[in-house]
Amino acid sequence: MTIEDVNVDLGPDTIYTDFPYVLDPGNYSAYLWQDGSENESYTVTAPGSYSVTVTDNHGCQGGDDIYVGSVDGTHEIITSAYAINFYPNPTKGMLNISIEAQEYFDWNIEILNASGQKMKVQQNKNVRSNIIPVDLTGIPAGTYILKISNKKEVHSRLLIKQ
């Protein structure tokens, strides 16, 4: 028998979570992870791609892979002209964006869904140092792109709405 004879599922192809995170493909006779380890489960401690090949009690094999990314609660964007923090992430409804800049900027904040559709647009004029609240209570739970821009730069980060 060959790989793919056994249906193995580590979950969605991409997941964003806190660490450590345990990958568990289920109950099989043998396991071979991407790093050569052979444990029944694998504890992820850093973002990256992970894979497993399993063998059942009939000698049939199957495999799956997953990308595990970090959601650490606070995210930073730091340049020579400003520092931006946004939190909490994931959020249940209210997102705070803290801006500390050397000069005043007009900041555009956009929340985009996976199709690129703008779910929320908020403009904030003449901001140098402030915490900007962004109300996401009307947006369904899911994974979004937080796009923060000024006249000089555009930054995009992953945002989870619970």
Side-chain angles (χ1 to χ4, degrees):
M1 299 203 186
T2 62
I3 290 184
E4 300 308 322
D5 287 344
V6 176
N7 187 14
V8 181
D9 189 11
L10 291 174
D13 289 340
T14 301
I15 188 169
Y16 292 87
T17 187
D18 293 317
F19 296 108
Y21 182 77
V22 177
L23 297 174
D24 184 354
N27 191 19
Y28 297 96
S29 298
Y31 306 84
L32 181 61
W33 294 93
Q34 76 288 334
D35 65 353
S37 64
E38 298 178 344
N39 297 323
E40 187 172 328
S41 62
Y42 188 89
T43 301
V44 176
T45 58
S49 295
Y50 298 88
S51 63
V52 66
T53 300
V54 300
T55 305
D56 69 10
N57 58 358
H58 301 290
C60 298
Q61 292 185 320
D64 195 19
D65 59 298
I66 187 172
Y67 175 81
V68 182
S70 172
V71 174
D72 64 4
T74 300
H75 295 275
E76 294 181 319
I77 300 167
I78 299 175
T79 73
S80 60
Y82 51 82
I84 301 171
N85 289 304
F86 59 96
Y87 57 91
N89 188 17
T91 180
K92 293 186 178 179
M94 190 59 73
L95 179 70
N96 294 299
I97 300 175
S98 171
I99 297 175
E100 295 291 332
Q102 294 177 4
E103 63 182 279
Y104 289 91
F105 288 102
D106 293 341
W107 296 94
N108 294 312
I109 299 168
E110 298 175 332
I111 308 298
L112 309 172
N113 68 13
S115 301
Q117 178 185 8
K118 294 179 183 178
M119 304 298 291
K120 173 106 179 169
V121 176
Q122 184 172 319
Q123 296 181 339
N124 302 274
K125 302 251 182 222
N126 214 22
V127 175
R128 182 172 172 221
S129 178
N130 201 358
I131 296 177
I132 301 168
V134 181
D135 186 0
L136 303 176
T137 55
I139 296 176
T143 302
Y144 296 91
I145 299 297
L146 169 64
K147 183 176 168 184
I148 302 172
S149 61
N150 59 38
K151 65 183 177 186
K152 294 183 178 182
E153 296 180 296
V154 177
H155 303 278
S156 297
R157 298 293 189 271
L158 188 69
L159 175 67
I160 308 291
K161 167 75 182 338
Q162 294 178 326

